[in-house]
Amino acid sequence: MIANTIKKQAKILSGAEFSEVIKREVAEEVKRLEKEHGFRPCLVVVRVGDDKASEVYVGNKVKTSRELGIVSEHEHLPAETTEQKLLETIENLNRRDDVDGILVQMPFPKHIDENRILEKINPEKDVDGFHPINVGQLAQGQKSLAPCTPAGVIEMLKRSNIEIAGKHAVIVGRSNIVGKPMAMLLLQKNATVTVCHSRTKNLSEITSQADILVAAMGRAGFIRGEHIKEGAVVIDVGINNVSDVTEARELFDETEIEKRLRTIEKRGFTLVGDVNPKEAREKAAYFTPVPGGVGLLTVAMLMRNTVDAAKSRRLK
Ligand code: NDP
């Protein structure tokens, strides 16, 4: 008998595809608002200091907003900006009637208290969804501006016709920006939710029961085949740099490794999620790649939050 050597491969959920559709929808809504209500939504992104990654993220957000017809401003303040000055900047943006969304790019310089800044943003303009009022509304299952990355994950599942209700969703990571809001959103969609973290015992025993597994931990390729239930939906939120060639070989199969090694040679690193892609592809039914997965949805959802914030505030 000839052995069946065809390997089962997970279906790849393409962030590029979903984010393009969402961005198109946002652009159409922006046009409609201008035509029917005479305004275009406006997003202001504030950046303090010269963190290189933040510069790229902010550039991307500003560029995408402009492409979609959203009015966009970028306030770049020097690293030595005092907390008081930053609070005043936010206060001015809160007061400006033409500003619909305010996003202060994290991380902040060490002398600035993150919570004080986030609490200062008018919750109606808090397009990142980090203000305690928005967090509370999300926890209560009310309509709110939800954090963009977990909201993007929900959109991806919804648009792929992946059922959430009644499924066991396991999230690895409990941060305020990904893990916790992800849990709240999945709960709202009637999943049975388990949240794991660095003190969780027997992690693989828990994750391998997940119908939907969300990895948001910041550990390159940590989630391996043994953590994944056969046929699960695996969502990889992590974004990590891998520069070691041996490590890369552990993570990528023959279809991808050459490209990854070229990237390491050229840039010094390649982007890797929290899930080992080689093993996930063999076990999962659906899998999000890194790059090209959840990350792209994050920016698209920020655009949608900006439009939603503009509509709720201006069309009351
Ligand atoms: P944080 O560092 O804030 O949180 C990491 C979480 O993972 C913590 O809750 C931590 O547990 C948990 N964790 C760490 N190690 C382990 C372990 N060995 N076992 C179980 N749990 C563990 O990270 P973020 O939530 O901000 O980000 C997570 C990842 O997602 C990062 O790679 C980040 O770059 C990426 N990211 C991607 C975005 C996108 O657009 N795709 C947006 C935002 C983040 P504990 O609480 O106990 O410390």
Side-chain angles (χ1 to χ4, degrees):
M1 207 170 83
I2 302 167
N4 183 1
T5 54
I6 300 172
K7 271 198 227 157
K8 203 161 52 64
Q9 291 272 297
K11 185 171 184 315
I12 300 299
L13 297 174
S14 158
E17 210 175 283
F18 294 110
S19 75
E20 281 315 309
V21 176
I22 296 168
K23 285 195 285 186
R24 248 195 331 268
E25 290 167 1
V26 169
E28 276 164 24
E29 189 61 0
V30 170
K31 264 196 206 138
R32 187 189 72 79
L33 289 171
E34 186 168 29
K35 192 160 164 236
E36 294 178 18
H37 298 280
F39 73 88
R40 285 197 286 150
C42 168
L43 171 69
V44 181
V45 184
V46 182
R47 178 162 71 97
V48 187
D50 294 307
D51 180 78
K52 279 283 159 232
S54 294
E55 186 181 342
V56 175
Y57 293 144
V58 166
N60 196 6
K61 287 166 187 175
V62 171
K63 179 170 160 274
T64 308
S65 350
R66 291 186 181 151
E67 281 166 5
L68 305 188
I70 292 172
V71 180
S72 176
E73 290 177 24
H74 175 195
E75 286 227 23
H76 184 197
L77 304 172
E80 58 278 11
T81 302
T82 60
E83 187 177 287
Q84 189 51 35
K85 170 77 180 117
L86 182 55
L87 290 168
E88 281 163 25
T89 303
I90 295 170
E91 188 52 46
N92 286 335
L93 296 172
N94 282 344
R95 269 198 236 108
R96 271 177 56 187
D97 197 43
D98 64 317
V99 172
D100 299 292
I102 304 168
L103 183 154
V104 189
Q105 184 66 42
M106 291 195 278
F108 305 146
K110 290 205 167 34
H111 63 279
I112 293 176
D113 179 341
E114 188 177 292
N115 288 332
R116 284 194 71 194
I117 300 304
L118 297 181
E119 282 169 24
K120 187 72 176 173
I121 299 171
N122 175 352
E124 288 187 313
K125 300 187 179 189
D126 168 38
V127 284
D128 251 344
F130 296 154
H131 190 284
I133 292 212
N134 285 318
V135 175
Q137 283 175 339
L138 180 66
Q140 288 181 336
Q142 295 178 33
K143 194 171 175 290
S144 64
L145 287 165
C148 303
T149 302
V153 171
I154 297 289
E155 278 300 318
M156 208 179 214
L157 295 173
K158 213 163 80 185
R159 289 170 191 254
S160 311
N161 295 318
I162 292 170
E163 187 148 359
I164 302 176
K167 301 291 178 195
H168 185 190
V170 176
I171 302 154
V172 190
R174 57 172 163 180
S175 73
N176 290 336
I177 62 168
V178 188
K180 283 182 201 153
M182 188 75 256
M184 291 303 154
L185 287 168
L186 286 164
L187 208 50
Q188 260 184 29
K189 298 283 175 201
N190 298 313
T192 302
V193 178
T194 304
V195 181
C196 303
H197 45 79
S198 67
R199 308 288 289 273
T200 298
K201 293 206 167 72
N202 306 325
L203 185 71
S204 65
E205 255 175 51
I206 301 168
T207 57
S208 60
Q209 292 173 34
D211 302 308
I212 300 172
L213 176 59
V214 182
M217 48 200 306
R219 302 270 181 274
F222 187 97
I223 300 292
R224 312 209 44 168
E226 78 209 45
H227 294 91
I228 300 170
K229 176 166 135 180
E230 190 82 43
V233 177
V234 178
I235 306 288
D236 193 354
V237 177
I239 302 178
N240 312 285
N241 294 345
V242 164
S243 48
D244 183 73
V245 169
T246 315
E247 195 179 348
R249 288 192 190 280
E250 288 283 309
L251 294 163
F252 300 103
D253 63 17
E254 62 283 359
T255 62
E256 224 184 328
I257 186 65
E258 291 308 324
K259 193 172 140 217
R260 296 294 188 144
L261 294 180
R262 279 197 302 275
T263 309
I264 295 179
E265 206 177 296
K266 203 164 127 204
R267 285 204 286 168
F269 66 89
T270 186
L271 289 184
V272 173
D274 290 342
V275 180
N276 179 312
K278 186 157 73 174
E279 296 177 11
R281 275 167 198 241
E282 285 173 17
K283 247 176 140 186
Y286 293 90
F287 177 55
T288 62
V290 178
V294 174
L296 296 172
L297 271 283
T298 300
V299 177
M301 294 310 287
L302 173 67
M303 301 300 124
R304 201 167 88 179
N305 271 358
T306 303
V307 170
D308 287 349
K311 282 159 67 177
S312 352
R313 196 176 60 87
R314 299 207 207 202
L315 308 180
K316 267 181 196 159

